């Protein structure tokens, strides 16, 4: 790994802006049961290439990202490293594979612990969001560089949302108790970007089970800001999502030679 402040291909910082380095952590230790039996979700093929490889490439496509830490299943780090070695990745970006934990939160913490010194911005990205465009990645990084401690890409909701009481029995009717104002709601995506010290403090302080890393920063009383997300940064969770992802990838290859 280079000791230069930024890899040679990274953009030159704007005058007056301090040089910072960015790393991405991709937790990929989950099994992905909602996609059915078989390989872990991150290793499922998309266009003939594992989703994890697409996700690593999506982070490495940003010229600001010089290191990607992949957090593998606890017993599968060797397999994941061999898989990544078998696929072409941008040479300017280093890739490190470390074993993960039993939960996503624990896996992200292990990825953070593996980061060398000298990285001031950390992205946390879902392996199951393989098609996030580089413009979205760069927008998150830019917002952290501008001083936000935590940044999430987000989209307005297309559907009306109802708050309900849980059903008395599984599958039973659920009484509606409120209809939140949709204009003030956002669906968040990844990569989520953080000032490194803030994210480390969040993982050392917050022990409750949370759904994303930005929620941990919120628990510290700090402000999380949003930047525009992208419709192609959706999460591949169910079989229908995989069909949609294949269609998006096919269109990219046809239109852009991706």
């Amino acid at each position: 790994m280079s000791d230069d402040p930024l890899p040679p291909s990274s953009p030159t910082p704007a005058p007056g802006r301090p040089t910072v380095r960015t790393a991405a952590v991709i937790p990929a230790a989950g099994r992905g049961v909602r996609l059915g039996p078989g390989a872990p979700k991150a290793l499922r093929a998309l266009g003939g290439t594992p989703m994890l490889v697409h996700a690593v490439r999506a982070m490495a496509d940003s010229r600001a990202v010089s290191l990607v830490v992949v957090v593998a299943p606890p017993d599968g780090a060797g397999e994941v490293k061999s898989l990544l070695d078998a696929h072409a990745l941008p040479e300017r970006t280093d890739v490190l594979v470390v074993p993960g934990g039993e939960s996503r939160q624990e896996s992200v913490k292990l990825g953070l612990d593996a980061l060398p010194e000298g990285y001031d911005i950390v992205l946390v990205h879902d392996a199951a969001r393989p098609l996030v465009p580089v413009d979205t990645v760069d927008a998150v990084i830019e917002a952290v560089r501008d001083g936000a401690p935590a940044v999430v890409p987000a989209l307005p909701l297309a559907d009306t949302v109802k708050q309900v009481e849980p059903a008395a029995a599984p599958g039973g009717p659920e009484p509606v108790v409120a209809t939140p104002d949709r204009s003030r709601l956002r669906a968040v995506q990844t990569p989520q970007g953080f000032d490194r010290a803030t994210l480390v403090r969040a993982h050392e302080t917050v022990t409750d089970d949370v759904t994303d890393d930005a929620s941990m920063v919120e628990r510290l009383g700090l402000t999380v800001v949003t930047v525009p997300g992208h419709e192609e940064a959706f999460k591949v969770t169910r079989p229908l999502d995989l069909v949609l992802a294949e269609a998006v990838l096919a269109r990219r290859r046809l239109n852009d030679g991706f």
Side-chain angles (χ1 to χ4, degrees):
M1 185 178 299
S2 171
D3 292 328
D4 295 333
L6 282 172
S9 55
S10 296
T12 302
R17 170 176 288 178
T19 297
V20 295
R21 301 178 78 189
T22 300
V25 174
I26 301 180
R31 303 303 300 180
V33 294
R34 281 177 288 183
L35 273 177
K41 178 166 53 179
L43 304 186
R44 300 293 179 91
L46 172 59
T49 301
M51 281 200 294
L52 176 59
V53 174
H54 287 286
V56 171
R57 287 174 176 167
M59 297 299 98
D61 279 346
S62 171
R63 294 170 65 85
V65 176
S66 53
L67 173 65
V68 177
V69 177
V70 176
V71 188
D75 57 352
E79 176 188 0
V80 169
K81 186 177 187 309
S82 297
L83 181 147
L84 293 173
D85 287 344
H87 290 82
L89 299 171
E91 293 184 1
R92 67 172 179 267
T93 306
D94 293 328
V95 178
L96 175 65
V97 179
V98 299
E102 294 301 318
S103 68
R104 182 186 184 280
Q105 199 164 324
E106 183 182 354
S107 291
V108 173
K109 175 66 164 57
L110 290 169
L112 279 174
D113 291 344
L115 284 180
E117 293 298 321
Y119 288 91
D120 304 291
I121 296 174
V122 180
L123 306 179
V124 181
H125 183 58
D126 294 332
R129 296 184 191 270
L131 300 177
V132 56
V134 68
D135 288 350
T136 302
V137 180
D138 287 341
V140 170
I141 295 171
E142 190 71 13
V144 180
R145 283 180 174 172
D146 285 342
V151 180
V152 297
L155 291 175
L157 298 184
D159 299 318
T160 297
V161 176
K162 300 291 185 182
Q163 182 181 344
V164 301
E165 288 286 351
E174 298 176 325
V176 172
V177 297
T179 302
D181 180 1
R182 187 176 67 185
S183 68
R184 297 176 63 86
L185 300 177
R186 298 292 183 268
V188 300
Q189 303 174 323
T190 69
Q192 298 185 353
F194 305 89
D195 166 74
R196 177 180 181 168
T198 297
L199 185 58
V200 168
R201 181 158 70 95
H203 274 271
E204 290 175 344
T205 305
V206 179
T207 57
D208 298 343
D209 188 24
V210 295
T211 56
D212 68 352
D213 296 272
S215 298
M216 302 177 75
V217 174
E218 291 174 46
R219 299 283 182 91
L220 299 180
L222 300 177
T223 299
V224 177
V225 302
T226 68
V227 296
H230 197 283
E231 61 183 5
E232 293 181 2
F234 61 89
K235 192 172 186 178
V236 179
T237 303
R238 298 176 175 83
L240 185 59
D241 301 325
L242 193 57
V243 173
L244 179 58
E246 292 280 5
V248 170
L249 187 59
R251 187 192 65 190
R252 286 186 182 182
R253 286 173 170 167
L254 179 63
N255 294 341
D256 307 324
F258 177 82

